Amino acid sequence: MKLANKKIIIGILSANILLILFAVCGKILTRFVYEDHLDDTVISVDGESITLREFGYYIYKVEDFVQNQALLYDRENPKLWWNTHFSAGLDSQFVCDYAKKVAINTCICDQIYCMEAQERGLQLNDAAQAQTLSESKDLFMKMTSLQLKATGLNEETIKKMNRRHTIASKYAESLYVTQDFSRYSGEPKDLLNWDGEYYQEVILPNHTVKLNDKILDKIVLGKITVNK
């Protein structure tokens, strides 16, 4: 082989090796480490921030619910359910993607309802507060040390988020009897859910919601607190 040809081949190989090295280094540098972002804001509603640690409450709740479905679908390989794709026109999506959608929008809905409840002076009575504390304790005790570490949750954060969820639920119940749903079909409970028509058309537009897609896009449900 001529020397010139050898030099060309060596040059091509060297260039390929450099490209591979750059690609590997790029992946390492841009690799998303969940634990490094626990105190970063992932959602804000009317300027009120929700951190990834706080959002972990919803991640755990949704993953726990869907994982139970996954185990019924295939106990030996629950990941199959999480990666199942449902074809439904524009709503076609994977279970893992829909689960994240539920977690994000439930979190936003709770925040909105809780803020509106506080503006109207709605508070939990002693019985509701005691029940909320008991439920928070049960949830904390149910989570494994690995799940707590993965989400960054602790008992105080769980109490805070569970209280917010309870206030939001109580506020939604108060709307059942005070709002006019005459032009809608369906039950008030469904209409006021995060994907309900009344919530989407009347309540949500009155609030400013911002998502930190740089973080949320990196999160894949079905592998944070389950299937480790």
Side-chain angles (χ1 to χ4, degrees), residues 40-222:
D40 290 348
T41 297
V42 291
I43 301 169
S44 70
V45 179
D46 297 339
E48 292 291 326
S49 296
I50 299 161
T51 65
L52 180 58
R53 187 189 307 275
E54 293 170 330
F55 182 55
Y57 169 86
Y58 295 92
I59 288 176
Y60 171 75
K61 295 271 284 187
V62 172
E63 283 197 326
D64 183 58
F65 178 81
V66 178
Q67 183 70 357
N68 286 330
Q69 296 177 325
L71 291 172
L72 290 174
Y73 183 74
D74 190 329
R75 180 162 290 277
E76 298 301 319
N77 187 10
K79 291 181 181 179
L80 284 176
W81 178 250
W82 284 96
N83 293 320
T84 298
H85 186 269
F86 289 96
S87 297
L90 294 175
D91 292 328
S92 296
Q93 56 197 311
F94 290 96
V95 169
C96 59
D97 293 332
Y98 181 69
K100 183 165 71 170
K101 181 179 179 180
V102 171
I104 291 172
N105 286 284
T106 301
C107 178
I108 293 169
C109 186
D110 276 359
Q111 179 68 17
I112 287 175
Y113 282 158
C114 186
M115 292 170 70
E116 291 195 359
Q118 291 172 340
E119 288 175 1
R120 289 160 177 74
L122 188 152
Q123 297 182 359
L124 299 178
N125 59 31
D126 291 343
Q129 289 194 55
Q131 182 178 351
T132 300
L133 287 173
S134 176
E135 291 173 350
S136 300
K137 183 72 173 180
D138 290 343
L139 193 153
F140 175 71
M141 296 301 293
K142 180 183 177 182
M143 293 182 71
T144 67
S145 58
L146 290 177
Q147 290 173 327
L148 290 168
K149 182 179 179 181
T151 56
L153 286 170
N154 52 40
E155 190 168 4
E156 286 307 309
T157 305
I158 291 172
K159 286 179 183 177
K160 174 184 176 181
M161 303 309 292
N162 198 45
R163 183 175 184 276
R164 179 179 298 175
H165 176 68
T166 302
I167 292 174
S169 298
K170 294 293 183 183
Y171 178 70
E173 289 174 7
S174 74
L175 294 179
Y176 297 167
V177 295
T178 59
Q179 303 304 299
D180 180 11
F181 303 108
S182 59
R183 72 185 186 91
Y184 296 95
S185 60
E187 295 296 320
K189 182 178 180 180
D190 297 327
L191 293 170
L192 288 164
N193 195 30
W194 68 265
D195 57 350
E197 284 185 85
Y198 188 86
Y199 170 79
Q200 290 286 333
E201 295 177 3
V202 178
I203 295 175
L204 184 59
N206 291 321
H207 299 273
T208 302
V209 177
K210 294 181 179 179
L211 303 179
N212 185 347
D213 291 325
K214 288 183 179 180
I215 292 178
L216 291 173
D217 286 349
K218 298 288 199 317
I219 295 173
V220 179
L221 264 68

